[in-house]
């Protein structure tokens, strides 16, 4: 679960590699959506074209539901975004079971009400969401750069104090 992000993507570099035994027909495909079935947040992560770049097959861990879209009027990127939004998260919270570890059942996921605008609007929403994610990554990088600069200044000041003793 640590390799699938609540921001909607999979970190393929950190995934565990294994050799599955027997014949497998449940490999993930580009466009599949993983939905975390357990935990405090039932986030969705899209299997995008990065999977094909790795040149490897992938299977989902058992704590994920796999959603494979068959409708022509629904973009996987849009559905992934929609499942991560507050109305969907509230739906999951209301339909979760368990006391210590919350979990949703497959039928709760299957029954979630989904707003499906036309394809042009879905593409616009996905584009806006991607732009926002890129902005957030840049802001985070700027924050890390600032912290590194301040740490370097502090180290230099500390070195100067020690050298002057």
């Amino acid at each position: 679960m640590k390799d699938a992000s609540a921001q909607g993507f999979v970190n393929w570099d950190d995934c565990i590699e294994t050799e599955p035994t027997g014949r497998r027909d449940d490999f993930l495909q580009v466009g599949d959506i993983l939905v975390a079935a357990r935990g405090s947040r039932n986030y969705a992560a899209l299997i995008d074209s990065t999977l094909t770049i790795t040149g490897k097959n992938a299977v989902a861990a058992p704590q994920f539901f796999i959603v494979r879209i068959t409708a022509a009027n629904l973009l996987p990127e849009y559905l992934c975004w929609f499942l991560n939004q507050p109305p969907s998260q509230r739906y999951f919270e209301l339909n979760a079971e368990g006391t210590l570890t919350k979990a949703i059942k497959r039928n709760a996921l299957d029954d979630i009400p989904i707003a499906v605008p036309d394809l042009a609007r879905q593409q616009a929403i996905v584009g806006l969401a991607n732009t926002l994610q890129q902005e957030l990554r840049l802001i985070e990088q700027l924050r890390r750069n600032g912290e590194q600069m301040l740490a370097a200044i502090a180290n230099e000041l500390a070195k100067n104090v020690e050298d002057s003793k």
Side-chain angles (χ1 to χ4, degrees):
M1 286 186 80
K2 66 178 177 47
D3 300 321
S5 159
Q7 285 74 41
F9 62 90
V10 175
N11 183 358
W12 295 109
D13 294 335
D14 292 341
C15 287
I16 297 171
E17 290 191 37
T18 186
E19 287 292 326
T21 57
R23 188 172 169 274
R24 301 294 302 234
D25 59 357
D26 58 347
F27 290 118
L28 294 173
Q29 300 174 14
V30 172
D32 286 350
I33 300 169
L34 301 178
V35 178
R38 292 180 240 163
S40 59
R41 186 157 190 264
N42 303 102
Y43 59 89
L46 179 68
I47 305 301
D48 63 10
S49 60
T50 310
L51 174 63
T52 57
I53 294 169
T54 67
K56 298 178 182 175
N57 290 319
V59 294
Q63 51 270 56
F64 287 105
F65 292 127
I66 301 170
V67 176
R68 189 164 288 159
I69 297 174
T70 56
N73 67 334
L74 183 59
L75 297 174
E77 300 86 352
Y78 169 79
L79 181 58
C80 184
W81 170 83
F82 185 84
L83 293 173
N84 285 321
Q85 297 311 300
S88 297
Q89 291 299 306
R90 277 193 299 278
Y91 172 86
F92 291 140
E93 287 173 23
L94 291 172
N95 288 279
E97 298 179 358
T99 52
L100 189 57
T101 302
K102 297 286 186 184
I104 58 168
K105 291 189 175 182
R106 181 66 198 215
N107 63 347
L109 176 61
D110 291 343
D111 293 341
I112 189 170
I114 300 169
V116 183
D118 62 69
L119 287 174
R121 186 138 186 223
Q122 289 179 49
Q123 290 169 335
I125 290 168
V126 167
L128 182 59
N130 289 341
T131 300
L132 179 60
Q133 283 300 316
Q134 185 177 9
E135 288 175 0
L136 292 172
R137 282 192 295 274
L138 290 170
I139 289 168
E140 178 59 23
Q141 184 61 50
L142 285 170
R143 186 191 64 74
R144 282 196 305 268
N145 291 350
E147 285 179 352
Q148 289 173 349
M149 241 184 337
L150 289 173
I153 291 169
N155 288 335
E156 185 65 28
L157 290 171
K159 182 180 179 233
N160 290 343
V161 168
E162 287 181 21
D163 290 346
S164 67
K165 287 185 180 179

